[in-house]
Amino acid sequence: MQEIYFAGGCLWGVQEFMRHLPGVMSTEAGRVNGISDTTSTPYDGYAECVRTLFDPQQVSIAQLMDFFFEIIDPYSLNKQGDDVGEKYRTGVYSTNADHLSQVKQYIAQRSDADKIVVEVLPMHRYVKSDLEHQDRLTNHPNDYCHIPLDLLHKYKLQK
């Protein structure tokens, strides 16, 4: 089992989509790479993210990136859907240097690489979100989501 962190705007939709992917064992809503050690303070540089535990025998970093790029606008800086601000920036974070190398290579191989504003950085701090944010769209399916969750049906991704 390995872990990687995806920030794609509001974490509710990112978590709902990622948890259905083949090879993803679990997801957790949180914040990545900020200053404080608690969710009771303002975001303090954090990006909303989804901690993703996956089995590398079942899904590769490139495959995860393919799915991730389906649900984000990789050219939009600090904005996804109606969510605007630094905490809604897009990024991929890991403590595994090989993961980061693979993500950078994935982006570099794209014809639009020079336009992509997705952060690719080491994960240095993670704070789990409060219970009300965990599996939010599973528990409250009519809440706002900027991600086209109909993609789950397109890829027949159901768990």
Side-chain angles (χ1 to χ4, degrees), residues 39-59:
T39 58
S40 64
T41 61
Y43 273 78
D44 291 332
Y46 278 103
E48 289 194 359
C49 76
V50 175
R51 178 178 177 247
T52 305
L53 296 178
F54 68 98
D55 181 346
Q57 300 298 317
Q58 295 183 38
V59 64

Side-chain angles (χ1 to χ4, degrees), residues 15 27 31 39 44-45 49 52 55 60 66-67 69 74 81 84 92 94 99 130 141 146 148 150:
Q15 183 179 31
T27 60
R31 300 176 181 183
T39 58
D44 291 332
C49 76
T52 305
D55 181 346
S60 69
D66 284 342
F67 283 117
F69 270 51
V84 179
V92 182
S94 182
H99 289 172
D130 300 331
H146 70 280
D150 58 332

Side-chain angles (χ1 to χ4, degrees), residues 16-23 67 71 149-159:
E16 184 65 22
F17 188 81
M18 299 304 278
R19 73 183 197 85
H20 287 88
L21 298 182
F67 283 117
I71 62 172
L149 291 176
D150 58 332
L151 285 174
L152 292 172
H153 301 292
K154 175 183 172 183
Y155 294 113
K156 297 177 177 44
L157 300 173
Q158 302 297 321
K159 279 191 178 174

